[in-house]
Amino acid sequence: MHTGKSDISGWLVRRAPWQAWVAAAAVLAAPAAAVAHAAPDGGMDNAIVVRAARAWLDGGSPYADPHFLYLPSAVLAAVPQALLPVAVLRVLVPVTVTALLVAGWGACLRIHGVPWRSRFAVLGLAGLAAGFAPFGHLVRLGNWTVTAAVALPLALLCAVRGRWVAAGAVIGAAVALKPLLAPVALLFVFAGRWRALAAAVLVPAAASGGAALLMPDPAGFFTRTLPFLLSGRDGFVRLYEASPGAVLPRLGVPAGAAAVLALGGAGCGVWCAYRRWRRGDPSPARVTETAAALMLSAFLVSRPSYDHYLLVVVPVLLAGVLGAGAVARGPWFWLALVPQLPGVTWPYLEPITRRAFRDCCTLCVLAVAVAAGAGRPGGRPERLVWRGRLVRRGPVRAPAPVRAPAPVREGEVREGRAVP
């Protein structure tokens, strides 16, 4: 990986000792073990999906529960869990969530060419697990956001390597489980990768359409779930939403004005994401920062929007910190993460029903940091890059030195002629 690296970054990319991996494994195992001990169903959010699958197996509608917010294909994906004993789920769910988060971090590292056995790999993983509160929240809840946290870096890795159709298929499969990564479809539009866009749309459409035919109410997602999401009338869910549209009304801002502000921020974020793509540099940061800007723009207006959604974009950005000019090198990226430090007492914000204020602060500052980095002016994009063809990465090599011609000796034959 060419980073223009200093001594510290060179130290970070060297191989980590085994003791560091033992420490990281302990940091990762502790939250999973705590959840397995305390949560008999493996996590509250995962239990919602499992109950929906059990309701379907019993002949009922999975959408009878208004908190089931997934596509019909997620019901079939949850059936294996519905057939397992509860004692198995309480261990399997937190371990699986942790393993998927580790896999997502590994994919983030490969995007930027960082060795997965490096010191940076182990320190970044331990830092996310111990110093970023949404990591523990996601393990404790067992939320299916983890599928997006591993699918986005995997899709971006495929895109960086020129496998755009595979990237679209990965995004489509993730949307079929939870439609969180739908905004990434704009990345394929920016890149002009229409086959990848078709894969991202057709995979969840086919999976959900086929699964809906097996449901007692095939249109339940559109007749029950979408109206529930658009109305925003669930007072329990609203207390935990981190989007400005949900938080600002709690501070006295009119709901209409809050919605306009959120939409305006999201629109600016999409515009900055487009400008980042148009900048046209061949580095992996072009893909990752564009996708991160799109996802954060969506989180500003999505209902609901929770703190663990940040795990979809933060690891992707953090893994690129060793590259020159990365968004994660800016001070605002790190300031945005301060409210998510575990163990810090925040006056008036400690009750769990007020955590959304901290989450909203992190979301907005992080969106501004990424948008500012993505929207800054750059060089004129090449036409070849605008058509979506990323230059393949490789080490920068100096041009071969020009050698002077060898002296001519008497009697030597050159180009078929004898030299006198």
Side-chain angles (χ1 to χ4, degrees):
M1 178 182 180
H2 179 73
T3 60
K5 49 179 172 277
S6 61
D7 292 339
I8 183 62
S9 58
W11 180 84
L12 286 172
V13 297
R14 297 192 189 106
R15 186 165 181 172
W18 64 269
Q19 295 91 339
W21 285 107
V22 171
V27 172
L28 292 169
V35 173
H37 176 73
D41 52 4
M44 179 180 69
D45 290 355
N46 181 73
I48 294 175
V49 189
V50 174
R51 284 200 304 268
R54 288 172 178 164
W56 175 71
L57 290 174
D58 294 337
S61 171
Y63 294 101
D65 184 356
H67 293 111
F68 179 70
L69 308 177
Y70 300 84
L71 294 171
S73 50
V75 177
L76 299 185
V79 166
Q81 288 194 63
L83 301 177
L84 292 176
V86 176
V88 175
L89 286 180
R90 70 184 305 166
V91 177
L92 180 64
V93 173
V95 170
T96 302
V97 171
T98 303
L100 289 177
L101 289 173
V102 173
W105 174 243
C108 294
L109 295 173
R110 297 313 303 153
I111 291 174
H112 300 278
V114 180
W116 66 273
R117 294 183 177 181
S118 63
R119 291 186 176 99
F120 178 73
V122 64
L123 290 175
L125 184 59
L128 286 172
F132 191 54
F135 191 104
H137 296 167
L138 186 58
V139 174
R140 182 165 64 250
L141 294 172
N143 193 281
W144 282 30
T145 298
V146 69
T147 59
V150 68
L152 180 62
L154 182 59
L156 298 182
L157 178 62
C158 293
V160 166
R161 294 181 175 180
R163 302 173 182 174
W164 285 91
V165 176
V170 171
I171 295 297
V175 171
L177 295 177
K178 183 171 183 176
L180 191 63
L181 295 183
V184 182
L186 282 176
L187 175 63
F188 303 134
V189 176
F190 295 166
R193 295 290 179 168
W194 308 116
R195 292 183 180 178
L197 178 63
V201 173
L202 293 178
V203 169
S208 297
L213 297 177
L214 303 176
M215 305 292 162
D217 53 343
F221 179 81
F222 298 98
T223 60
R224 297 187 182 186
T225 302
L226 281 184
F228 175 80
L229 288 173
L230 296 176
S231 64
R233 297 176 181 174
D234 192 334
F236 174 77
V237 172
R238 194 184 308 117
L239 294 176
Y240 304 96
E241 292 186 16
S243 62
V247 171
L248 290 179
R250 298 175 62 182
L251 297 175
V253 179
V260 170
L261 289 174
L263 286 172
C268 291
V270 172
W271 177 76
C272 290
Y274 175 71
R275 288 202 53 171
R276 180 63 184 94
W277 179 261
R278 285 283 289 167
R279 200 186 306 169
D281 61 273
S283 68
R286 182 193 186 196
V287 176
T288 57
E289 291 176 6
T290 301
L294 290 173
M295 291 305 303
L296 289 170
S297 300
F299 296 160
L300 290 174
V301 294
S302 63
R303 302 289 301 271
S305 181
Y306 301 121
D307 65 327
H308 50 76
Y309 287 7
L310 297 172
L311 277 170
V312 178
V313 295
V314 169
V316 172
L317 296 172
L318 180 62
V321 72
L322 298 182
V327 169
R329 287 195 172 190
W332 290 104
F333 174 83
W334 298 100
L335 287 175
L337 304 184
V338 170
Q340 304 302 327
L341 291 174
V344 179
T345 302
W346 300 93
Y348 307 105
L349 299 179
E350 283 307 303
I352 190 172
T353 55
R354 295 183 181 179
R355 179 178 175 83
F357 296 106
R358 294 156 54 186
D359 300 335
C360 183
C361 178
T362 295
L363 173 60
C364 293
V365 176
L366 188 60
V368 170
V370 174
R376 64 175 179 263
R380 183 178 180 181
E382 299 178 4
R383 183 174 300 178
L384 181 66
V385 175
W386 166 239
R387 290 177 180 173
R389 302 171 187 170
L390 285 176
V391 180
R392 189 168 297 273
R393 296 185 293 125
V396 179
R397 298 179 180 177
V402 179
R403 296 182 179 179
V408 180
R409 300 177 181 178
E410 292 187 13
E412 186 178 1
V413 177
R414 287 293 181 88
E415 297 182 359
R417 296 179 296 174
V419 178

